[in-house]
Amino acid sequence: MLPSLLASMPMDNDWISFDVPSLIENFWSATFDGLTFGSIYALVALGYTLVYGVLNLINFAHSEVFIMGCFGVWFTLSALNFGPSAPHLGFWAIVGNLILALVVGMIVSALTAVIVERVAYRPLRRRNAPRLAFLITAIGVSFSIQYLLYLWRGPSPERALTMFHPTPIFDVFGTIIDSQQIVIVVAAVIMMIVIDLFISRSRTGRGIRAVAQDPDTATLMGVNKERIIMTTFIIGGILAGAAALFYTMKIPSGVQYNGGFILGIKAFAAAVLGGIGNVRGALVGGLLLGLIGNYGQILLGNSQWTDVVAFLVLVLVLILRPQGVLGSSLGRSKA
Amino acid sequence: MTLLELNNVSVHYGRIQAIKDMSFTVEEGEIVSLIGANGAGKTTTMKTISGLLNPSSGSIRFAGEDITKMKAHIRVVQGISQAPEGRGIFPGMTVMENLDMGAYGRKDRSGMAADIDRVFDLFPRLLERQKQLGGTMSGGEQQMLAIGRALMSNPKLLLLDEPSMGLAPQFIRQIFKIITEINSQGTTVLLVEQNANQALARAHRAFVLETGEITHSGTGKELLANPAIKEAYLGVG
């Protein structure tokens, strides 16, 4: 027993090894998969970035806004008879069901975000609480929701759900891109573009940018700051709800009380990597983090390396460019 | 007609009282100047009128209505517009976007178009610089933008907090000339200044503020001629 266990463990001198041929061989599949994960990070990252932009607050409870959306998606699909194997439904029936789950996920996440802002942050704002009070509250809310979910649903993941079996669509350099990857990346990018246009073109978007740059002056222009803050939480929630559907699609057994924690940290890291407060930065940061993690995992031959590599790169980028890849400002015309 | 009326207004920052029982009025069509040294409570007074600060006691009436508890963003729609101290230009927005922000609470497109023409008439420089980012303009240009933006809500009362701050002398004269012109077009102006000379010369009436209280009042000319004020604020003995 013992010798075989030892044999299966890496020796002291080869706990780290670089498998370059494997990276070259799997480069494209790692790229496409990295972009898929990156899109999910990016959607969640936007919630961190928008709230940071208007309140200078890292909303640590955003990971729970996301996981609540996952539960919304899970309950909807379970009620629609989705289970461990994909249901035998026609194309349009699946599309309809997934859109329904998407909408429920968005509503649940947005509601969670609104409740968190009303119950936790707004009372602090009214009392001009110091920044640390906001930070501790954010962490407290995050844990509270996590353990409320634990008490309600228990420690183990929810039953796995398969939404549809990915079918090959394209063949790029000998690597198959499947329908699931395309759905996730295309949908996420469309949502990011819509949000970018909304913030740079619409009247409310202008209000968000004004509050981000100078809340008092924005108020003097007739902007209702409280309403802008609420809108920002709602947008972040909607995007987290969309991410929840895609995440559950990608990781069928990922719906769990603490399932938002690691993803939340990564999305936050993606927001900082791209430039916190910057909408396009969230997209760039998310995709970069997804790609780097995947390359690192294949190069080093073990999935535990994903996060080591991703966060080492994050630290390196921030040393060279502390304001993030695209710089941080929600205020700019090209937000 | 009385446009703005402060009755025994006091304002506190925590335990510190910044404004003590202040009362004054602004009549429709006037230019009224509040002059005083740093820390006299000028900006606090302005923020209390625009609603960024709440008085701890006293009341404020505007156009016959009690606005003491009215939220700041609603006061803008009611006709009070402030160009804040330090100009408050949105650095990442273009000149045009900054002007649009001034009309944020409005929906009457034709009125907005008329007001943008009026602003470009008063400040031709802004017309040339429409697409430039606010943060890249000179101090004088930013001040023009701040005043123009405040006019975009078509206010009954324009609040100007130290419009001459940090400007070169020729710009200061130009800004005050334009303030008089805005007033002659029918907008009532309440002005706060350290540059007492211009502020008093241009004002119909003026008040002197010292440590949160009004110590002198009169017409602009009376105060200009007052020896105590000359010594304290006009730099002549």
Side-chain angles (χ1 to χ4, degrees):
Chain A
M1 170 89 192
L2 197 62
S4 68
L5 192 68
L6 276 177
S8 71
M9 283 172 68
M11 291 293 116
D12 279 357
N13 57 352
D14 67 352
W15 64 276
I16 180 166
S17 60
F18 295 94
D19 190 353
V20 178
S22 170
L23 178 62
I24 292 169
E25 189 185 329
N26 297 303
F27 181 79
W28 291 107
S29 73
T31 302
F32 301 136
D33 214 44
L35 290 176
T36 314
F37 277 113
S39 306
I40 296 170
Y41 299 154
L43 284 174
V44 181
L46 260 179
Y48 286 99
T49 252
L50 286 172
V51 167
Y52 182 84
V54 296
L55 286 184
N56 281 325
L57 163 74
I58 300 299
N59 177 17
F60 278 108
H62 193 58
S63 49
E64 277 58 51
V65 167
F66 160 78
I67 203 68
M68 287 293 285
C70 290
F71 276 94
V73 166
W74 188 87
F75 274 106
T76 309
L77 291 178
S78 293
L80 293 167
N81 292 320
F82 281 73
S85 56
H88 296 285
L89 290 171
F91 176 75
W92 290 111
I94 291 181
V95 170
N97 285 339
L98 292 190
I99 288 177
L100 184 63
L102 175 73
V103 171
V104 172
M106 286 173 164
I107 291 173
V108 172
S109 285
L111 267 180
T112 309
V114 166
I115 291 169
V116 168
E117 140 55 24
R118 277 276 164 109
V119 173
Y121 302 142
R122 186 187 281 193
L124 292 176
R125 231 171 21 248
R126 289 247 164 101
R127 288 164 181 77
N128 283 323
R131 277 217 196 165
L132 273 179
F134 281 92
L135 191 68
I136 294 301
T137 302
I139 294 171
V141 170
S142 169
F143 278 116
S144 302
I145 298 178
Q146 257 185 57
Y147 286 96
L148 281 174
L149 283 170
Y150 178 97
L151 289 170
W152 179 39
R153 303 299 301 172
S156 41
E158 303 296 336
R159 188 169 54 109
L161 286 180
T162 305
M163 301 187 198
F164 57 90
H165 289 297
T167 47
I169 303 280
F170 295 119
D171 184 322
V172 180
F173 309 112
T175 302
I176 302 297
I177 304 182
D178 65 47
S179 49
Q180 191 186 59
Q181 291 170 325
I182 290 178
V183 166
I184 293 174
V185 173
V186 170
V189 168
I190 289 174
M191 281 179 202
M192 307 280 293
I193 291 172
V194 169
I195 289 300
D196 192 60
L197 286 175
F198 177 77
I199 287 177
S200 57
R201 304 278 166 84
S202 75
R203 177 171 171 276
T204 304
R206 226 168 40 224
I208 292 174
R209 281 156 51 208
V211 172
Q213 289 179 50
D214 184 342
D216 274 355
T217 303
T219 305
L220 290 178
M221 304 292 112
V223 177
N224 183 348
K225 192 179 104 186
E226 289 299 317
R227 185 188 281 175
I228 290 291
I229 291 170
M230 190 56 77
T231 307
T232 309
F233 274 87
I234 290 173
I235 295 173
I238 287 174
L239 295 169
L245 177 79
F246 304 139
Y247 180 76
T248 314
M249 195 181 281
K250 192 85 185 126
I251 316 271
S253 55
V255 185
Q256 191 179 4
Y257 77 100
N258 60 358
F261 182 70
I262 293 289
L263 187 116
I265 299 270
K266 284 195 193 172
F268 170 49
V272 175
L273 181 63
I276 186 101
N278 184 321
V279 172
R280 289 174 195 177
L283 177 63
V284 171
L287 295 180
L288 275 178
L289 206 66
L291 286 174
I292 294 163
N294 258 13
Y295 293 148
Q297 171 191 342
I298 291 177
L299 183 65
L300 292 152
N302 184 330
S303 66
Q304 306 305 323
W305 282 104
T306 312
D307 297 345
V308 178
V309 173
F311 284 94
L312 278 179
V313 170
L314 174 76
V315 171
L316 282 178
V317 169
L318 292 181
I319 288 170
L320 297 173
R321 220 179 133 71
Q323 70 275 38
V325 177
L326 293 191
S328 48
S329 88
L330 183 58
R332 295 236 191 91
S333 291
K334 306 271 179 264
Chain B
M1 194 192 107
T2 302
L3 188 60
L4 179 75
E5 189 180 346
L6 274 73
N7 287 313
N8 302 313
V9 170
S10 294
V11 182
H12 287 77
Y13 291 108
R15 285 195 195 141
I16 299 159
Q17 187 165 13
I19 300 287
K20 293 162 194 158
D21 271 336
M22 185 186 287
S23 298
F24 69 89
T25 62
V26 176
E27 304 294 320
E28 209 171 329
E30 281 187 313
I31 297 180
V32 173
S33 293
L34 285 174
I35 61 169
N38 260 336
K42 303 188 302 286
T43 294
T44 304
T45 308
M46 291 304 229
K47 284 186 172 173
T48 307
I49 297 169
S50 61
L52 289 179
L53 293 173
N54 293 315
S56 37
S57 63
S59 68
I60 307 170
R61 296 177 73 80
F62 177 71
E65 196 186 340
D66 188 331
I67 60 161
T68 316
K69 301 243 182 286
M70 188 184 278
K71 294 241 190 306
H73 66 269
I74 298 174
R75 294 189 198 191
V76 183
V77 182
Q78 296 296 311
I80 301 179
S81 186
Q82 181 182 353
E85 185 185 24
R87 301 156 201 143
I89 298 305
F90 297 112
M93 293 191 192
T94 64
V95 167
M96 201 61 202
E97 284 180 307
N98 266 283
L99 290 173
D100 280 344
M101 278 309 301
Y104 192 83
R106 290 178 76 175
K107 294 194 173 70
D108 57 320
R109 297 204 165 265
S110 61
M112 281 156 68
D115 279 323
I116 206 125
D117 287 344
R118 175 191 181 196
V119 168
F120 285 150
D121 246 22
L122 287 166
F123 304 105
R125 183 75 62 93
L126 297 183
L127 179 63
E128 296 161 24
R129 300 279 163 101
Q130 279 183 67
K131 297 203 168 118
Q132 193 174 332
L133 287 182
T136 65
M137 302 211 300
S138 75
E141 290 166 342
Q142 288 194 6
Q143 189 59 58
M144 293 176 182
L145 180 53
I147 297 174
R149 188 179 61 181
L151 288 174
M152 284 304 295
S153 63
N154 191 22
K156 296 189 186 97
L157 175 64
L158 177 64
L159 306 175
L160 299 174
D161 195 344
E162 300 232 20
S164 76
M165 189 163 67
L167 299 189
Q170 72 269 24
F171 258 129
I172 295 180
R173 249 170 280 129
Q174 197 186 346
I175 288 279
F176 275 101
K177 217 179 116 207
I178 291 170
I179 291 169
T180 307
E181 195 178 334
I182 291 168
N183 176 249
S184 68
Q185 291 171 356
T187 309
T188 308
V189 177
L190 175 60
L191 181 71
V192 146
E193 262 299 341
Q194 279 193 56
N195 188 326
N197 227 328
Q198 284 281 335
L200 292 178
R202 298 277 175 181
H204 298 103
R205 289 188 303 131
F207 301 93
V208 177
L209 212 56
E210 281 170 19
T211 57
E213 287 176 288
I214 291 176
T215 53
H216 297 83
S217 64
T219 66
K221 286 200 182 92
E222 282 167 11
L223 293 185
L224 267 178
N226 183 321
I229 291 169
K230 268 190 182 166
E231 190 179 332
Y233 298 103
L234 302 173
V236 282

